[in-house]
Amino acid sequence: QFYFPAAVDISPNGQVALVADQGNNAIRAITMGRYVVRTVTDDSLSSPSGIAFESNGNYFVVADTHHNRILRFRLDSSVGTPYVVSTAGDYKPGFANGFGSAAAFFSPHKLAVVKGSSTVIVADTFNNKVRSLVFQTKAPTSAPTKTPTNSLAPTSSPTSVPTLEPTLADVTNTIATGAAVGTVVTAATATAAA
C-alpha cells in the first residue's frame, strides 16, 4: 500500500513506472500493463520525494530528502534489485559544491534529468536554490578516487556480482537563487558562492 507517494517517472521504454513512496521510505516499481507493484529498495531511504529515469533507462536518480542526498541507482536485471552506484550529499544538511559526500544539500525535493545526459537538476528546497549535478564516469585528477556505495544490493548473493562503475556526482553549479520573476539565470552566470 502506498503512503504519501510524492513523485513518479516512467521508464523510456514505457514498461516500468517508479514511484517515490515518501511515507514508506521506499521506491516502488509498477509493471505497466499488468500493474504489478513491488518495492525495489530497502529501508535505507528517508522520505524520498523525487525520482527520475536517465534517458537510457539503465539508471534512475532519487532525492533522498531527509538524508540530504541524491542517489543514482543502476537497474540490473541479473540481480533484480537496483543498487546505488553514486551518491551526492551527506546526511548533514548544508550547502556545498563538490564530489560525492563533499557536496551538501538541505532537504532536496524534486529533480529532473536533462534529456540525453547524466546531468540532474535538483530543487534544493531549504537552500532556496536550483542546482545541477553531473554523474561522471571518471573523476578528474584533482578529485580523490572513491568507491561507490553498494548499500542497497540484495542481501542474498547473486550468481554473478555486478560490476560497480566508478561514478562520482559532481555538484558544481547553482542555476538559480531567488531571481526575480521573468529573470533568466544561466549556469554560467550563477555559479555558487559557498
Side-chain angles (χ1 to χ4, degrees):
Q1 178 171 334
F2 290 104
Y3 182 55
F4 196 61
V8 64
D9 197 19
I10 297 176
S11 64
N13 65 11
Q15 295 179 354
V16 176
L18 291 178
V19 179
D21 192 357
Q22 191 171 23
N24 284 320
N25 298 315
I27 301 302
R28 314 280 299 277
I30 303 170
T31 304
M32 302 306 290
R34 295 184 311 156
Y35 302 105
V36 175
V37 179
R38 66 185 179 99
T39 301
V40 296
T41 58
D42 64 14
D43 60 356
S44 65
L45 299 176
S46 181
S47 198
S49 61
I51 193 162
F53 272 100
E54 290 186 15
S55 298
N56 62 18
N58 295 325
Y59 297 90
F60 64 92
V61 291
V62 172
D64 189 12
T65 302
H66 289 166
H67 283 156
N68 303 298
R69 309 180 297 174
I70 305 299
L71 303 174
R72 184 185 196 211
F73 288 83
R74 168 125 175 116
L75 294 172
D76 189 333
S77 58
S78 68
V79 175
T81 302
Y83 54 91
V84 175
V85 293
S86 191
T87 303
D90 200 339
Y91 292 93
K92 300 177 296 274
F95 176 79
N97 291 330
F99 289 97
S101 61
F105 296 92
F106 192 1
S107 196
H109 276 72
K110 303 301 179 200
L111 47 76
V113 177
V114 176
K115 189 174 182 175
S117 77
S118 58
T119 300
V120 180
I121 306 302
V122 179
D124 192 1
T125 306
F126 288 177
N127 278 323
N128 296 306
K129 297 182 186 305
V130 175
R131 299 171 68 192
S132 67
L133 70 93
V134 176
F135 290 106
Q136 300 179 348
T137 55
K138 184 178 176 186
T141 54
S142 62
T145 304
K146 186 170 183 172
T147 304
T149 330
N150 192 14
S151 63
L152 296 184
T155 53
S156 61
S157 298
T159 53
S160 64
V161 176
T163 302
L164 297 180
E165 50 280 353
T167 60
L168 288 175
D170 180 17
V171 181
T172 57
N173 276 323
T174 296
I175 296 171
T177 59
V181 175
T183 303
V184 176
V185 181
T186 64
T189 61
T191 44

